Amino acid sequence: LSGEQVLDSLLKQLQLDQPPVLDGDAAEGLAIPAHVRAQYVALLQHSHADHSRGK
Amino acid sequence: RFSQNFREVAGRFLVSEASTHLLVFGMEQRLPPNSELVQAVLRLFQEPLPRAALRRHERPTPRSARARVTIEWLRVRDDGSNRTALIDSRLVSIHESGWKAFDVTEAVNFWQQLSRPRQPLLLQVSVQREHLGPGASGAHRLVRFGAQGARGEPQLELHTLDLKDYGAQGNCDPEAPVTEGTRCCRQETYLDLQGMTWAENWVLEPPGFLTYECVGSCLQPPEALTFKWPFLGPRQCIASETASLPMIVRMKEGGRTRAQVVSLPNMRVQKCSCASDGALVPRGLEP
């Protein structure tokens, strides 16, 4: 698994053509709301095994 | 067949006079533990045509006359209702006799997915006329198969591979380097997203994550078996179970930015297995 594959999958999921241009300062100040973090943690804990169809 | 993209289409009975047999196979202890089912073959013995029956038939039956034999897996649900799934179907010559083979691998796959205690494997064998329509002959009714418990009784062959030899090993030994001789295993690596320019200011969580790769090789069946199963490609080490990867990213909306959760499918390898191209992709059992 490479960084490029993660980027491709992320762009596909968010239906974007390229990564958004965001300024760094805003990123520093952005706190992750509790409900978003709770959703993230729940997904992390419950990520299910999907049967891959092989190659 | 064997495609997960097509679902059986319910239809109405136009002609309902197929002769149907129900075969029951006790399956417990039949499949060795820790083994992979490669193929299951149902063999039915088609009885020779009794001359007298042929003479009694309302009109001559041409040498080329055929009947359609269909095998369905029958499942008796908890509420007592039956569900069937088409497994195999082919034409047989009415005038021929002898063993006829049908591939019922998928039926055994379905049976393996049943919750315990499991009912026996129920296979419904239907013999239908080759063509429908006013001119169709009823010669298919002359087709007889040896019944269970009698001479020429149906045979169910189960062909398996012992995963102790032909399977993967769990996770790779982190201490041992992966070489050509390493048996298929899951190798752990770490993907650091913080070092990626595209992730800067965009990906808030995770900073990086454990990722796995299936490495190593698989033992190939001996030539005698590959000859028996020409439809199977070489065994390869593949990701047989994967999991999604949740992330938190920054999204711009109007003049503001907010945090959003997104889940990337099939991003993390949960299990590596040895599998062949051409092998049956098990259909999931409907609830």
Side-chain angles (χ1 to χ4, degrees), chain B residues 119-130:
Chain B
Q119 56 193 250
L121 176 69
L122 301 176
L123 294 175
Q124 186 166 272
V125 180
S126 306
V127 182
Q128 293 134 330
R129 54 180 87 213
E130 177 181 6

Side-chain angles (χ1 to χ4, degrees), chain A residues 21-22 26-27 30 40 47 50 52, chain B residues 201 239-240 242 246 250 252 268:
Chain A
V21 176
L22 298 164
L30 179 66
Y40 170 69
S47 64
D50 307 331
S52 150
Chain B
N201 301 328
S240 54
T242 57
R250 268 176 74 214
K252 217 186 315 189
R268 292 187 297 166

